[in-house]
Amino acid sequence: MPITLPNGITAIELADDYPALQIETADCSATLALNGAHLTHWQPSHTAHPVIYLSPTAILQQGKAIRGGVPLCWPWFNAHPTDPDSHPSHGVARIERWDLISATVEDGSAIIELELKASPVIEAHVPFPFQLKALFNLGQTCSIVLETTNLAKENIAVGGALHSYFSLSHIDNATVTGLQHTPYLDTAARPEKSAVQTEGELRFQAETDRIYYGSDLPARIHDAEWKRSIVVEKAGSLTSVVWNPWIEKAASLGDLPDADYQRFLCIEAANARHDTRILAPGSTHRLETRFIVENLS
Ligand code: TA6
């Protein structure tokens, strides 16, 4: 990493040739891998448990997505819209090495900017020139911005998600509020089916894979055991995804311990399905999310 790092941010390796930044400030502890510009850990000083879940069997290898943390899914969400067999699920940004552009510490928060530069792998999957930046503000709260600028002479289509894995004491202790009366697509159902959420408190007893439509966040994850709520905000997104793989799907994932579906929940700020954005030449789209932890008395 050619830039000079300030006090509070140090360069580490999470595995051989797998560089990351370790952030230790008065306000938080965090870890940010350069592969995928992937936040793998964030814990503000006022909460006793990590906020972001990371699989203990996550694969830390170039070209592989990290299970857990906040994968930056770009420039499509889930399967490639037209040729899923030729392109990686959730795009290329989360599997490629990013460049560190700047890192500062201001008032207890680490402010870090990374950029994804074109590479043969990316050019094989992304048919347009772009600028892609990831901006992190890590302190008492956590903000992430994925900023796409269209460098092409024609419109481009950009989808994706900030695929945030939140750490739980146990899925049975977790409820989600803020999504009542919101329409969603149940993509775990076969065939997929549309519905409207009726319950004020969403609980989890099976595989849950829902794309909520509308500007439906903030949502709150309440953890009764850890006596905290995680507020998930977003901007630049009209679809939110709530995902837990549950037993069978968890067992099928080689980079997740079978029982660990009990230890996380994903709430994602997304540009999924019809919310894929069309960017005119020279225009910019910012997909944003922010996490706030509230301790419950
Ligand atoms: O965001 C939910 C989802 O699209 C699920 O359908 C599931 O595939 C999950 O993402 C994880 O995808 P990954 O490619 O990281 O295994």
Side-chain angles (χ1 to χ4, degrees):
M1 291 175 202
I3 71 168
T4 303
L5 296 174
N7 289 337
I9 302 178
T10 53
I12 62 171
E13 284 210 340
L14 297 178
D16 185 32
D17 187 28
Y18 209 88
L21 299 178
Q22 186 59 34
I23 293 99
E24 298 294 343
T25 71
D27 286 354
C28 81
S29 168
T31 309
L32 181 57
L34 267 58
N35 280 58
H38 199 121
L39 187 69
T40 60
H41 172 71
W42 174 66
Q43 183 171 345
S45 53
H46 66 286
T47 190
H49 305 279
V51 178
I52 300 296
Y53 168 82
L54 179 68
S55 169
T57 55
I59 299 169
L60 301 179
Q61 283 173 15
Q62 177 75 12
K64 290 279 187 190
I66 299 173
R67 178 68 58 199
V70 181
L72 304 182
C73 303
W74 182 93
W76 57 83
F77 176 81
N78 200 293
H80 186 277
T82 58
D83 186 2
D85 294 335
S86 303
H87 302 286
S89 177
H90 286 312
V92 293
R94 66 175 186 167
I95 58 175
E96 284 294 285
R97 176 79 54 91
W98 290 55
D99 292 346
L100 180 61
I101 303 302
S102 64
T104 58
V105 173
E106 295 170 27
D107 301 328
S109 292
I111 299 168
I112 300 166
E113 179 178 326
L114 302 101
E115 185 172 354
L116 182 66
K117 300 285 179 63
S119 72
V121 168
I122 290 172
E123 286 163 0
H125 295 289
V126 181
F128 51 77
F130 62 86
Q131 180 186 76
L132 187 66
K133 292 188 174 183
L135 311 161
F136 294 85
N137 188 317
L138 306 168
Q140 286 292 337
T141 63
C142 170
S143 298
I144 303 172
V145 178
L146 188 60
E147 182 183 86
T148 306
T149 299
N150 177 4
L151 301 182
K153 292 183 171 52
E154 59 282 334
N155 290 354
I156 61 172
V158 174
L162 304 177
H163 197 298
S164 309
Y165 286 68
F166 294 101
S167 191
L168 304 175
S169 59
H170 193 286
I171 193 73
D172 292 348
N173 301 329
T175 56
V176 173
T177 58
L179 295 170
Q180 191 171 19
H181 308 315
T182 307
Y184 65 90
L185 181 65
D186 180 350
T187 64
R190 293 291 175 271
E192 296 181 345
K193 63 182 179 185
S194 296
V196 177
Q197 178 163 318
T198 53
E199 61 270 45
E201 280 191 347
L202 181 60
R203 296 178 182 279
F204 301 88
Q205 288 102 13
E207 180 184 356
T208 305
D209 199 347
R210 297 181 175 185
I211 302 175
Y212 287 84
Y213 290 100
S215 55
D216 39 49
L217 294 185
R220 266 180 168 75
I221 305 171
H222 303 269
D223 189 320
E225 174 73 21
W226 285 353
K227 294 184 173 49
R228 74 181 185 188
S229 291
I230 302 169
V231 181
V232 183
E233 299 177 337
K234 71 171 185 179
S237 154
L238 288 174
T239 45
S240 304
V241 178
V242 174
W243 179 60
N244 184 284
W246 213 247
I247 299 168
E248 190 175 335
K249 178 129 193 195
S252 75
L253 298 173
D255 54 0
L256 181 75
D258 291 358
D260 267 29
Y261 72 92
Q262 301 171 59
R263 297 185 53 220
F264 77 86
L265 178 68
C266 288
I267 295 187
E268 310 160 29
N271 293 131
R273 304 287 181 104
H274 73 285
D275 190 29
T276 296
R277 301 301 171 100
I278 303 302
L279 273 65
S283 67
T284 293
H285 175 60
R286 289 164 61 95
L287 176 59
E288 307 182 38
T289 196
R290 181 167 175 251
F291 318 142
I292 302 117
V293 178
E294 297 173 346
N295 289 322
L296 307 174
S297 51

